[in-house]
Amino acid sequence: MIKKEMVREDKKVLTGKKLFLKLFRKIIPLSGLFIFASTVFRLNTRTYGLVLYYEGKEIATVENEETIEKASHMMKQIDSSYESSGEIIQNIAAPKYELKAIDQPVCGSASEIKNKIISEAKSEVVNAVGIYSDGKLVSAASDINEVETLLDSLLDDAKLGDDNAVVKFVENIELVSGLYSVNEVTTVDNLKNIILEGITSQIEYEVKDGDTLESIAMDFDVSAESVAILNNLKNNEVAVGDKLLIEIVDFPIHIETQKLEEKHIDIPFETIRENDDTQYEGWQHKDVEGKNGIQVTLNQVTYINKRLAEQKEISSEILSKPVNEHIYFGTKKREVLPPKSEISEKQSGKFIWPVPYTHNITSKFGDVDGAFRAKPHTGIDISSSGIHGQDIVAASDGVVEVAGSGSGYGNFVKISHNNETSTLYAHCEYLYVKSGQKVSAGQKIASVGRTGNSTGYHTHFEVIVKGKRQNPLNYF
């Protein structure tokens, strides 16, 4: 995936191109150089050459026109690559030249000429390895082994924990050893940041007709908030002609990850509601608990720099079907209770038994024992074998004062009746009514349980008249 190239003369020359370009331009204009060369190399009486001196030292002799053409071609490549950067290499002495007759030609190639000039400017260049992405230099580092290790680790990390994932660099990555400007050489850690976090830069954008802050941000794949903050925009408003700074991030190297992913998706259940005209309004009972189904899909997923780029479903299978929820709702109309003044004392003082399943009393009103109960019992306990989950019904018509949980009662219901009398049903397992709800005598309000302070399944039943507990057996 990574193309590593041995150190060659041509590659070395390109790494030091800024230096050579600036220096070679000071030697002689190109057009004059070709005219000069065509004249020099046509002299047949003696061998002439263009001898170059750098700081008094002879560094190269050019013998033929082909060498000059190659050097010219290299300079054009260097010029197009670096002219836009605006960088200037300073404090490099210009080489001198002279036409000289030579007895035994000692001539160098165009690349040798550049390398020799670069070598003389030792304070400006170093041996390093350049990282190229599609032929463009990303950066350079001093140790090729560290760079190789970094790139391998980035590929391994891009597998996202899946050893079967296929990863590769999107661009053609080359490692080229040679001479590089010290300004281009960085540490491996910085190189890692460049690859993972990208290179941040700012560009200027002029707002056009129809643009909004959101549309501009979308075009540049940035957030509208970041553009607003960078440009100190008030109310996120822009006008035609405004010039906005846009901060963009360019990633010189992209890593593609292809892998298979299995996803579990919930299939939602439906709720089926059914009326029950044998039960009063406000009553409800869940007959079947709803449960989501599960569908599993296998997808071919592509990530670029760990961001989802494409997803294609390969197969799909339903592991379990949803179970629909079934709820019954009471629809029976309640009789409107007459005013309190119309209810005789005799009528209001009679209750029906709260647990139809059994009339067995396991603890009477006022009972005291030395172990479990140290104070007089405030109600009666109703229990027998198999009572768990049996119905608890309202002893008389009334309004639910409390339906909740508290103290030692556990889950309990308290119903207020019209003669300053209330009844309480404690230790319930499930409650089927809610506070403020009207109930009728015999209506199911809860089920027998053992919540709160309880040694077994039973119903604790109380009768409260004007705030004082009374013996419930006097009211049936």
Side-chain angles (χ1 to χ4, degrees):
M1 231 172 279
I2 303 171
K3 182 179 178 182
K4 293 181 283 186
E5 189 165 322
M6 299 301 292
V7 180
R8 301 197 320 236
E9 290 300 321
D10 288 347
K11 287 293 183 181
K12 281 186 178 180
V13 169
L14 288 178
T15 61
K17 49 195 172 183
K18 289 189 290 189
L19 294 173
F20 178 72
L21 175 61
K22 298 298 180 181
L23 297 178
F24 210 103
R25 282 177 170 173
K26 296 179 182 179
I27 296 173
I28 190 170
L30 289 178
S31 58
L33 190 59
F34 284 114
I35 296 172
F36 167 79
S38 62
T39 303
V40 169
F41 296 119
R42 284 178 174 77
L43 297 178
N44 297 320
T45 56
R46 298 189 66 180
T47 301
Y48 287 83
L50 181 63
V51 181
L52 299 180
Y53 295 89
Y54 186 81
E55 294 186 345
K57 180 180 178 182
E58 182 179 325
I59 61 171
T61 303
V62 181
E63 180 183 30
N64 55 50
E65 209 167 321
E66 182 181 358
T67 302
I68 300 174
E69 289 176 355
K70 287 182 179 181
S72 174
H73 179 67
M74 290 180 182
M75 285 189 293
K76 289 178 181 178
Q77 286 184 323
I78 297 168
D79 190 36
S80 63
S81 176
Y82 275 84
E83 194 170 72
S84 61
S85 68
E87 297 183 34
I88 300 175
I89 304 299
Q90 299 177 344
N91 302 321
I92 303 296
K96 298 180 180 180
Y97 64 91
E98 65 179 22
L99 180 63
K100 180 179 178 182
I102 52 176
D103 296 327
Q104 295 181 351
V106 181
C107 302
S109 67
S111 61
E112 287 175 342
I113 295 171
K114 290 192 292 183
N115 273 345
K116 288 181 179 180
I117 295 176
I118 292 172
S119 297
E120 294 301 321
K122 294 178 181 177
S123 62
E124 298 294 333
V125 294
V126 293
N127 280 305
V129 57
I131 300 90
Y132 289 83
S133 174
D134 280 346
K136 182 178 180 180
L137 180 65
V138 175
S139 188
S142 58
D143 192 325
I144 189 172
N145 293 325
E146 289 184 355
V147 175
E148 290 176 342
T149 300
L150 169 64
L151 296 178
D152 288 340
S153 69
L154 292 176
L155 289 175
D156 188 61
D157 186 52
K159 290 184 177 181
L160 303 175
D162 185 353
D163 291 337
N164 295 320
V166 178
V167 294
K168 67 176 182 178
F169 291 110
V170 176
E171 297 83 7
N172 180 37
I173 305 302
E174 294 180 276
L175 302 183
V176 182
S177 298
L179 294 172
Y180 291 83
S181 166
V182 292
N183 296 325
E184 296 169 338
V185 180
T186 187
T187 64
V188 173
D189 287 340
N190 286 339
L191 177 59
K192 181 178 180 179
N193 289 335
I194 290 173
I195 296 174
L196 294 181
E197 300 177 12
I199 301 172
T200 302
S201 60
Q202 292 182 353
I203 63 172
E204 188 179 77
Y205 176 79
E206 184 174 339
V207 179
K208 299 178 178 60
D209 187 29
D211 281 345
T212 64
L213 181 63
E214 289 72 19
S215 67
I216 295 171
M218 186 178 296
D219 288 342
F220 287 97
D221 195 23
V222 297
S223 68
E225 182 182 6
S226 66
V227 178
I229 293 174
L230 184 62
N231 294 275
N232 296 318
L233 297 180
K234 295 181 179 179
N235 302 322
N236 292 348
E237 295 180 355
V238 295
V240 175
D242 286 350
K243 293 184 178 180
L244 302 178
L245 287 177
I246 310 292
E247 192 169 80
I248 60 175
V249 180
D250 178 52
F251 290 88
I253 294 178
H254 297 81
I255 301 177
E256 179 184 278
T257 306
Q258 287 194 352
K259 60 196 294 276
L260 294 176
E261 287 187 357
E262 189 176 86
K263 292 186 177 181
H264 288 72
I265 304 170
D266 284 341
I267 306 173
F269 64 84
E270 295 181 2
T271 298
I272 300 174
R273 302 172 181 269
E274 192 169 340
N275 294 333
D276 185 344
D277 58 7
T278 66
Q279 298 293 336
Y280 286 99
E281 290 178 334
W283 174 89
Q284 67 179 46
H285 174 65
K286 187 183 293 184
D287 185 51
V288 178
E289 188 78 29
K291 185 178 181 181
N292 288 337
I294 300 176
Q295 180 179 8
V296 61
T297 62
L298 185 63
N299 302 299
Q300 175 73 49
V301 184
T302 301
Y303 294 91
I304 300 294
N305 287 358
K306 298 184 180 180
R307 295 180 61 182
L308 182 63
E310 185 180 3
Q311 179 172 285
K312 181 180 179 182
E313 183 178 302
I314 296 177
S315 63
S316 178
E317 179 183 1
I318 295 178
L319 296 184
S320 62
K321 295 182 179 180
V323 177
N324 292 334
E325 189 169 81
H326 197 181
I327 303 178
Y328 289 97
F329 290 87
T331 58
K332 185 178 180 181
K333 298 291 183 181
R334 289 189 177 84
E335 296 181 7
V336 179
L337 294 176
K340 178 180 177 182
S341 59
E342 297 180 12
I343 302 178
S344 68
E345 199 67 30
K346 184 177 180 180
Q347 289 175 320
S348 64
K350 297 298 180 180
F351 296 139
I352 66 173
W353 192 254
V355 185
Y357 178 76
T358 181
H359 282 62
N360 186 55
I361 298 174
T362 57
S363 181
K364 296 180 180 180
F365 178 80
D367 278 354
V368 176
D369 60 45
F372 178 74
R373 184 176 288 110
K375 295 181 180 180
H377 196 204
T378 58
I380 60 172
D381 289 345
I382 304 169
S383 181
S384 68
S385 176
I387 197 172
H388 177 210
Q390 296 296 331
D391 292 343
I392 302 173
V393 301
S396 181
D397 296 345
V399 177
V400 177
E401 185 178 334
V402 180
S405 178
S407 186
Y409 288 135
N411 297 329
F412 74 99
V413 176
K414 186 178 181 182
I415 300 175
S416 177
H417 306 286
N418 286 329
N419 58 341
E420 297 182 336
T421 302
S422 59
T423 51
L424 186 145
Y425 317 74
H427 308 306
C428 308
E429 185 164 82
Y430 296 111
L431 305 181
Y432 301 131
V433 292
K434 57 185 178 180
S435 298
Q437 179 179 330
K438 292 181 180 181
V439 294
S440 300
Q443 178 180 337
K444 184 168 67 173
I445 59 173
S447 63
V448 177
R450 58 177 301 176
T451 58
N453 296 335
S454 174
T455 58
Y457 293 105
H458 73 282
T459 294
H460 172 83
F461 177 71
E462 294 182 2
V463 175
I464 307 166
V465 179
K466 296 182 180 180
K468 294 183 179 181
R469 266 70 176 176
Q470 306 293 328
N471 187 349
L473 296 181
N474 296 332
Y475 290 81
F476 294 111

